[in-house]
Amino acid sequence: MRIGEIAALVGVTPRAVRHYHQSGLLPEPPRRPNGYREYGVRDAVLLARIRRLTELGLGLDEVRDVLADDEGRGLVEVLEELAEDLARQEAVIRARREHLTALLTEARAGRLPAEGPVSPELAALLAGLGELPESPMAAKDREILALLDVVVPEEERARLMELMRGAAGSARELYALLDALADAAPDDPRVDGAARALAAVLPDGIAVELPPEGSGGLADSFFADLAPAQSAAVRRAIRLAGERGEGDR
């Protein structure tokens, strides 16, 4: 048989056969005088076994272990490992489907925020904010919350969203104070008032939640996106909340 014939017989592509040759899974057969490979029944049997193993989800290295018999892991060991991996994948898929079902229910009811899909914790936080007037600061805040919702580990995310929920009731007034600083200088007298109003609703010791200024990363990117006076107010508010927390110890 030529390569196209054995590939069609086993149900793979000629390209796959060549790949198995290059990977060392399928030995090169002898060639005819015209240079074409000449495959036999034993080649077809081996190729069929490779196909069955790859269809089970084994990687080529794992297939090589199985084919090597005593030189690598046995078939039972590889298949048991594969079964455990598939069980883990099934659990992940099941959890994702449950999350998707909940999101779909919220979306159909018109309760999914524009930033969705988001975690239940962030959805609850955004719902607490309610409908806000046009506010550039509110838009930036929601963007950063949506990002944190993805990048912060699950256990930390729930704690962070719970901390932020305390400020939800004053969000309208706070955003108005910060929006008013868009064109102000960092030493504008209104910076102190906005900082103190924000600090009043921030959790004690929240300063530990942010890395030091100038350390790079998400925090610096967030502050760089604010106007100078806004950045000064938010930084001062976090510092005041941190100092208040230290004083309560």
Side-chain angles (χ1 to χ4, degrees), residues 116-189:
V118 296
S119 69
E121 295 87 359
L122 180 54
L125 176 60
L126 295 178
L129 294 175
E131 289 295 327
L132 295 170
E134 274 305 311
S135 165
M137 195 66 194
K140 290 179 181 180
D141 203 20
R142 293 172 78 103
E143 287 176 356
I144 201 69
L145 286 172
L147 178 58
L148 290 174
D149 194 45
V150 174
V151 303
V152 174
E154 183 175 354
E155 62 278 4
E156 287 296 312
R157 182 184 67 217
R159 187 172 68 91
L160 176 63
M161 297 304 170
E162 187 61 33
L163 289 174
M164 296 300 295
R165 190 174 300 181
S170 306
R172 187 182 300 271
E173 295 78 9
L174 291 172
Y175 288 141
L177 289 172
L178 292 169
D179 285 336
L181 298 176
D183 299 318
D187 59 354
D188 189 294

Side-chain angles (χ1 to χ4, degrees), residues 229-245:
Q230 293 172 333
S231 177
V234 175
R235 288 188 183 279
R236 183 169 185 186
I238 294 174
R239 185 166 60 253
L240 289 171
E243 291 171 354
R244 184 181 64 225

